[in-house]
Amino acid sequence: MNKKTVGFLLCIVLLLILVPVTAQEGGGGGTLIGAFDVGPGGAPHVIPFFDTAGRTWLSKIWSPLISWNADMSALTPQLATEWSSNEDATVWTFKLREGVLWHDGEPFTAADVVFSLELALNPEAGTSFPAFSQLDPKDVVSIVAVDDLTVEITLTEPNPRLPFFMIFAWVLPQHALGDINPADYQNLDWFFTNPIGTGPFMHEEYVADQFWSLVPNPNYWNGAPKLDHLINRYFEDETSAVLALESGEIQFTYTSGDVALRLQAEGKYQTYAGPSGVTNYFIFNLRNPAFQDERVRQAFLYAIDRQAITETVLQGTAQVVPCISPFPAMWPDAAELNDYAYNPELAQQLLQEAGYDAGQAFEIATYYSSQFHLDALAAQQAFLAQIGVNVLPLTQDVPTYNSYFYTGEGWDISYRGVGVNVGNFPFAFYEPGGQPTTDGLPLQGESFPELQALIDAARVEADADAYLGYLQDICKFQNEHALEGYMWTATRFGTAANSLVDFYWFPAAGGGPYEDHAELWSVGE
């Protein structure tokens, strides 16, 4: 055991000694230490409204208006208990939960929701909320507290699926943050020193790059948590977290498929698995002329034996996809799609026809660091090399990647994942102004009128079947033109010690948020 680990464990021991047993109601369920920000659903040190992921942990302190249910098959109430719209879906009314208290004992009201949404949409704050919620500030006429438990949002245009995007609407305390300068929001120390939320756990101690310790919220609206402490321990990578799990230092971590299958076979762990709802793909930056010819993009797909990679490298834990959508219900009939079956000869022919310069090389930026994804990238690199396309994977931490990727500058190709479902389709990725790109172009650098027309129609379509039809048409367009290099959607795994009782984890895109009933978690023998 190294000095850093010994220091961490001593810190935890002192922490538990210093906290009086009588300080919290509830409790008695032990201390759970997990690596909650390891893996693609994690994002260490993010704060509400700057969360491209990491929501599994954020939801322990703060609560959203709405979340996914346990398996992401439907929405479920959180701080909002019900929601409805007028006939054309331009006015949405959210009824709020009664009797909710902030961690400091102040009552939660509609004024907090209005404050939080206005802050999130304020251009000076520069949050990621407008892009993730697909709510351009100019499209919001007003956000009004009708009374203490009712919020009304009025829009300039119909938005039949607004509730699906309210899962990204964290609610912050107006009484604590109401006087801040929005431009200072993203740099506030408050989130790591004395944050106040309405979630099941309350802040106790945060040590950068080491851990974040929480204690139960005795006034949590769904009941005081059973745990005495919930601790998120930070790791540089999955491998370090898995070693900590196997040595008993922690009791939960995300695990790649190969690791999860190995640990499951040992019989000493609980395995959690489910569809990621995330498509892994290459996004080509069409600002670079090398990718503007669709034959080049198609060549990438023909050159990579995607099926072989899913079966061998990913050990059968992934499914090849034809477009950005990961679920078959969102695909048109297979007869309307190109499966881009492995064909290196055709790939070389397409490159030759497009006049591709084999002397150029490209970095493939990614935030994935697990061996699973690194092995997949290595295989992709090898397949491309066989047709004379030279690429070099470049792995970065999430903050570094996020700091430039969404500007549209500083990258040519990225291997990444995006969560997609019927209610939460990433239209904004394909629209001018949908992401904060430097040049105002769509994230990939080019607009496609036919695609934009489909997006415009889908946005305002209230009929569920007709809406699904538009998504299928979008899939067909993306597939035909190889708009991106669509690879696969994976099964994701989490592994926990057998000692955890009533623990639950789901591989929700970005960490959800989803309903995991953390108030019921405890640690047994």
Side-chain angles (χ1 to χ4, degrees):
M1 188 177 292
N2 60 39
K3 291 182 178 179
K4 186 174 182 180
T5 299
V6 171
F8 169 79
L9 294 176
L10 287 174
C11 187
I12 295 298
V13 170
L14 290 173
L15 192 68
L16 300 182
I17 293 173
L18 292 172
V19 177
V21 175
T22 58
Q24 304 293 329
E25 295 180 23
T31 295
L32 193 166
I33 305 175
F36 291 99
D37 278 312
V38 167
H45 322 306
V46 295
I47 64 175
F49 298 125
F50 281 93
D51 50 311
T52 57
R55 301 179 190 110
T56 296
W57 181 251
L58 288 179
S59 62
K60 302 300 173 284
I61 305 171
W62 293 278
S63 302
L65 275 179
I66 299 167
S67 79
W68 291 108
N69 64 358
D71 62 0
M72 287 188 68
S73 61
L75 299 179
T76 195
Q78 292 297 329
L79 291 179
T81 57
E82 56 184 280
W83 44 90
S84 59
S85 74
N86 63 350
E87 187 173 350
D88 69 355
T90 57
V91 179
W92 281 90
T93 302
F94 295 84
K95 296 291 186 179
L96 305 180
R97 192 175 298 279
E98 187 174 1
V100 175
L101 298 177
W102 291 99
H103 291 162
D104 60 359
E106 292 292 318
F108 157 76
T109 72
D112 295 307
V113 177
V114 173
F115 163 74
S116 300
L117 291 176
E118 289 183 341
L119 175 65
L121 290 167
N122 190 320
E124 292 186 19
T127 73
S128 58
F129 180 72
F132 273 92
S133 68
Q134 301 188 18
L135 273 180
D136 191 300
K138 70 177 185 298
D139 296 332
V140 180
V141 176
S142 63
I143 305 171
V144 178
V146 177
D147 56 42
D148 281 350
L149 295 175
T150 309
V151 173
E152 187 176 270
I153 301 175
T154 302
L155 307 171
T156 59
E157 296 181 353
N159 190 337
R161 275 156 291 281
L162 181 65
F164 284 97
F165 301 107
M166 288 297 104
I167 65 170
F168 305 117
W170 303 100
V171 183
L172 303 171
Q174 182 185 36
H175 67 277
L177 297 176
D179 294 332
I180 67 166
N181 180 347
D184 296 333
Y185 173 74
Q186 59 185 292
N187 298 313
L188 290 179
D189 291 335
W190 178 87
F191 287 100
F192 306 105
T193 55
N194 58 337
I196 300 167
T198 57
F201 292 90
M202 306 188 299
H203 170 81
E204 182 178 48
E205 184 176 2
Y206 170 83
V207 178
D209 301 320
Q210 294 187 41
F211 69 90
W212 195 341
S213 177
L214 309 179
V215 292
N217 172 13
N219 298 315
Y220 182 51
W221 54 265
N222 216 17
K226 293 182 179 180
L227 287 171
D228 298 299
H229 290 84
L230 178 64
I231 298 172
N232 188 9
R233 184 173 163 190
Y234 299 115
F235 293 87
E236 291 184 4
D237 51 40
E238 178 197 342
T239 300
S240 301
V242 170
L243 290 173
L245 176 70
E246 293 183 289
S247 67
E249 296 174 33
I250 65 174
Q251 296 130 316
F252 169 76
T253 183
Y254 162 87
T255 43
S256 295
D258 55 341
V259 176
L261 296 175
R262 173 177 64 80
L263 294 178
Q264 185 177 33
E266 293 181 11
K268 298 185 296 184
Y269 302 95
Q270 304 176 57
T271 301
Y272 300 86
S276 65
V278 170
T279 294
N280 294 123
Y281 68 113
F282 285 159
I283 180 170
F284 301 106
N285 195 332
L286 304 187
R287 295 170 182 82
N288 188 325
F291 306 117
Q292 291 173 1
D293 190 319
E294 69 180 50
R295 291 173 295 186
V296 173
R297 306 193 298 268
Q298 290 171 334
F300 269 68
L301 286 169
Y302 283 120
I304 298 172
D305 193 339
R306 299 175 296 159
Q307 191 63 40
I309 293 176
T310 61
E311 292 175 358
T312 57
V313 178
L314 303 181
Q315 299 184 28
T317 63
Q319 177 185 11
V320 173
V321 296
C323 58
I324 203 68
S325 299
F327 299 112
M330 303 170 73
W331 307 342
D333 187 272
E336 301 180 56
L337 296 169
N338 185 344
D339 64 1
Y340 291 100
Y342 180 53
N343 191 335
E345 292 79 14
L346 179 55
Q348 288 178 314
Q349 177 185 327
L350 289 168
L351 291 179
Q352 185 177 5
E353 292 174 358
Y356 181 81
D357 178 8
Q360 56 195 330
F362 304 101
E363 289 180 333
I364 300 181
T366 187
Y367 46 77
Y368 286 122
S369 59
S370 71
Q371 197 59 49
F372 230 32
H373 280 293
L374 295 180
D375 288 345
L377 261 176
Q380 291 165 316
Q381 181 185 19
F383 277 121
L384 290 170
Q386 291 177 5
I387 65 164
V389 174
N390 299 309
V391 297
L392 178 66
L394 174 64
T395 301
Q396 300 171 315
D397 59 69
V398 172
T400 299
Y401 178 91
N402 285 345
S403 70
Y404 71 92
F405 173 76
Y406 293 98
T407 70
E409 294 185 347
W411 59 276
D412 288 310
I413 310 174
S414 176
Y415 174 66
R416 63 190 313 275
V418 61
V420 183
N421 56 64
V422 172
N424 186 8
F425 193 92
F427 296 128
F429 278 29
Y430 305 101
E431 299 179 290
Q435 294 291 335
T437 55
T438 303
D439 54 14
L441 293 173
L443 184 57
Q444 64 184 149
E446 187 175 334
S447 294
F448 296 86
E450 183 179 343
L451 177 63
Q452 187 63 57
L454 292 170
I455 289 174
D456 291 342
R459 279 190 185 280
V460 298
E461 179 55 64
D463 181 82
D465 290 337
Y467 172 72
L468 184 60
Y470 282 122
L471 296 188
Q472 292 171 347
D473 289 342
I474 289 171
C475 179
K476 182 179 177 180
F477 180 89
Q478 292 176 325
N479 173 268
E480 178 182 353
H481 299 285
L483 215 58
E484 294 143 323
Y486 309 107
M487 296 295 159
W488 42 70
T489 182
T491 298
R492 286 184 180 168
F493 298 87
T495 302
N498 278 336
S499 59
L500 297 191
V501 179
D502 292 325
F503 178 79
Y504 182 75
W505 180 84
F506 188 77
Y514 59 94
E515 192 170 47
D516 60 9
H517 288 292
E519 74 277 4
L520 301 179
W521 299 354
S522 64
V523 181
E525 296 297 326

